[in-house]
């Protein structure tokens, strides 16, 4: 079995690797192949491109192609950087797990049949069937401020209403928004924050229902008091996918506690399903 891990907007492959890879190997075994590509304009994917390159279906196709290339290599360098000589079947079913933006990309990959997805875990989904939903409005604002003022625009952004609304509910969520200003090469990559939130994760609830008809098992993971990843969004995903939903404690009540519950419960689901 191969596990594909996809990061969130403004992060990179280290985000899901740090959070999820140890759990994957503990539950599924040390020979489990973990592939965690960087999405366009994130991490080691240095090219930015134009606005059209950030269409979610195009991002999904790029990610799927990167995964296929890793699988086709036959002997793959593990995520830790050590070549463990793992032999894989590129056509074998995979498990895919995505965080926020990564959840939306994982959903598109599965629905389009770009990879043979057997199981999917969607962690704190933030995209729905509308472009730039209210919870994602801070990101285009950050992108524009970065384009206009560079990283020094963080102070200006903190005066904006979209920031203050998040800060009132979740100080750590607000800190996460500010981290976009200090991300590597943030100003040059600002287009990602403007364009990606314009995407829809799915057309409508009927499209989500295709998961069940295809026999793809899914788990949706939500968190309390997370204004960027609202609970109602996760509830809609879970209802449409006809799969279970796990609700984590709020990150502001302790990031370590939230991560512990996530890995424990997702690990149990992977073991049982």
């Amino acid at each position: 079995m191969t596990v594909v891990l996809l990061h969130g907007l403004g992060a990179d492959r280290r985000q899901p690797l740090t959070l999820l890879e140890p759990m994957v190997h503990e539950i599924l075994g040390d020979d489990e192949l973990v592939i965690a590509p960087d999405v366009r304009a994130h991490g080691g994917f240095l090219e930015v491109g134009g606005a059209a390159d950030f269409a979610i279906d195009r991002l999904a196709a790029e990610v799927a192609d990167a995964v296929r290339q890793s699988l086709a290599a036959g002997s793959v360098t593990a995520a830790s950087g050590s070549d463990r000589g793992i032999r894989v079947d590129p056509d074998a079913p995979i498990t895919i797990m995505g965080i926020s933006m990564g959840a939306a990309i994982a959903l598109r990959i599965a629905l389009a049949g770009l990879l043979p997805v057997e199981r999917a875990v969607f962690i704190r989904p933030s995209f729905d069937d509308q472009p730039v939903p209210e919870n994602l409005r801070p990101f285009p604002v950050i992108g524009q401020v970065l384009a206009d003022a560079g990283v020094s625009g963080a102070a200006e952004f903190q005066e904006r209403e979209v920031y203050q609304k998040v800060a009132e509910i979740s100080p750590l969520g607000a800190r996460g928004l500010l981290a976009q200003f200090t991300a590597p090469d943030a100003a040059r990559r600002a287009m990602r924050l403007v364009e990606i939130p314009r995407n829809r994760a799915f057309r409508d609830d009927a499209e989500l229902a295709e998961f069940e008809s295809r026999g793809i098992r899914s788990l949706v993971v939500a968190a309390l008091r997370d204004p960027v990843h609202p609970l109602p969004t996760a509830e809609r995903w879970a209802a449409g996918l006809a799969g279970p939903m796990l609700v984590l404690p709020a990150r502001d009540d302790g990031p370590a506690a939230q991560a512990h519950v996530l890995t424990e419960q997702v690990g149990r689901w992977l073991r049982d399903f």
Side-chain angles (χ1 to χ4, degrees), residues 139-181:
F139 293 98
V141 176
I142 295 171
Q144 192 58 59
V145 172
L146 273 169
D148 293 341
V151 297
S152 63
E156 175 193 338
F157 175 67
Q158 290 180 76
E159 301 299 320
R160 302 288 187 98
E161 184 181 9
V162 290
Y163 169 82
Q164 294 171 3
K165 282 184 174 181
V166 172
E168 288 174 4
I169 300 171
S170 172
L172 287 183
R175 188 185 304 175
L177 293 178
L178 291 177
Q180 299 288 348
F181 286 91

Side-chain angles (χ1 to χ4, degrees), residues 196-261:
I196 291 177
R198 294 180 178 174
N199 287 276
R200 302 181 302 167
F202 51 90
R203 182 185 65 250
D204 50 28
D205 293 343
E207 187 177 32
L208 287 177
E210 293 178 19
F211 248 57
E212 187 178 22
S213 63
R214 295 184 189 188
I216 302 174
R217 289 165 285 169
S218 66
L219 172 67
V220 175
V221 182
L224 298 175
R225 300 201 318 274
D226 189 338
V228 177
H229 311 89
L231 185 59
T233 299
E235 289 173 335
R236 185 175 179 193
W237 279 56
L241 295 167
M245 185 175 80
L246 164 67
V247 180
L248 305 175
R251 185 166 43 167
D252 289 279
D253 292 339
Q258 186 190 78
H260 174 74
V261 174

Side-chain angles (χ1 to χ4, degrees), residues 36-60:
D38 284 317
V39 177
R40 172 180 288 271
H42 292 77
F45 196 136
L46 302 181
E47 185 179 353
V48 174
D53 293 309
F54 292 99
I56 197 163
D57 285 330
R58 187 169 297 190
L59 295 176

Side-chain angles (χ1 to χ4, degrees), residues 10-85:
D12 60 41
R13 65 194 299 268
R14 292 172 297 177
Q15 179 196 35
L17 284 172
T18 300
L19 180 62
L20 300 170
E21 187 187 25
M23 175 271 294
V24 167
H25 289 310
E26 179 181 351
I27 298 298
L28 301 178
D30 286 338
D31 347 353
E32 197 78 5
L33 175 62
V34 176
I35 300 174
D38 284 317
V39 177
R40 172 180 288 271
H42 292 77
F45 196 136
L46 302 181
E47 185 179 353
V48 174
D53 293 309
F54 292 99
I56 197 163
D57 285 330
R58 187 169 297 190
L59 295 176
E62 284 183 338
V63 167
D65 185 58
V67 171
R68 284 192 297 269
Q69 287 182 33
S70 294
L71 292 171
S75 180
V76 185
T77 299
S80 62
S82 60
D83 188 348
R84 298 191 296 187

